[in-house]
Amino acid sequence: MPRVASACIPQPLPLLLLALLLISSFRCAARADGVGSVTIVTVASDTRDASALLASAPLAGIDIVVLGEGVAMPWPTGLRTKIILVRDFVRTSQLADEDLIVFVDAWDTMVLADSAATLIQAFRQAEEQTGRPIIFAPEEFCWPQDEESKGTLC
């Protein structure tokens, strides 16, 4: 299975579930030379609000896969669908073990890296620091929130 880096998953329960599902399906068998290609994976039932991501990834030469187009994902039950779609993609993808999957939110993400090599280098540094082949980077501020939490529900 490819290695996974994730960003912008604001909800703690789905984050935990996604981590458990993906980790349970991992086989850490990377080549000695590290990471191969980079694929950005996102889930969006409607891609109209994902224009920044869809436009920026190709500029950096990075492939993007959108899962769940046209699939109803109402809050909060749709989060389960999101997790299942990503899990199934990781399990059935034709990517190599050394390939890097970057899972991001579709609507509020854009690629600022100038190339896939920049993302690979950042992942290698994080992997070396943590000793882990899977890395999560959740948002500090998330929705929904209540008045008492002041945005600290994540």
Side-chain angles (χ1 to χ4, degrees), residues 11 16 24 33 38 41 45 50 54 56 65 70 74 76 87 91 95 103 105 108 113 121 128 136 140 149 152-153:
Q11 301 81 15
L16 176 61
S24 70
D33 63 347
V38 175
V41 177
S45 56
L54 296 175
S56 61
V65 174
R87 180 202 61 195
R91 286 183 174 170
L95 301 170
F103 175 64
D105 185 65
D108 64 357
Q121 181 181 17
E128 186 176 304
F136 289 91
E140 226 177 279
S149 70
T152 58
L153 291 178

Side-chain angles (χ1 to χ4, degrees), residues 33-109:
D33 63 347
V35 180
S37 68
V38 175
T39 301
I40 292 179
V41 177
T42 192
V43 176
S45 56
D46 183 348
T47 58
R48 288 179 288 184
D49 290 328
S51 59
L53 177 61
L54 296 175
S56 61
L59 292 175
I62 299 170
D63 293 331
I64 184 162
V65 174
V66 179
L67 305 172
E69 280 191 83
V71 176
M73 292 183 250
W75 178 266
T77 57
L79 296 173
R80 180 178 183 273
T81 304
K82 192 177 199 179
I83 293 167
I84 290 168
L85 289 168
V86 174
R87 180 202 61 195
D88 291 349
F89 173 79
V90 170
R91 286 183 174 170
T92 62
S93 70
Q94 297 299 311
L95 301 170
D97 287 344
E98 62 274 1
D99 290 346
L100 176 64
I101 298 171
V102 181
F103 175 64
V104 299
D105 185 65
W107 292 358
D108 64 357
T109 304

Side-chain angles (χ1 to χ4, degrees), residues 19 29 142 145:
C142 66
Q145 56 184 294

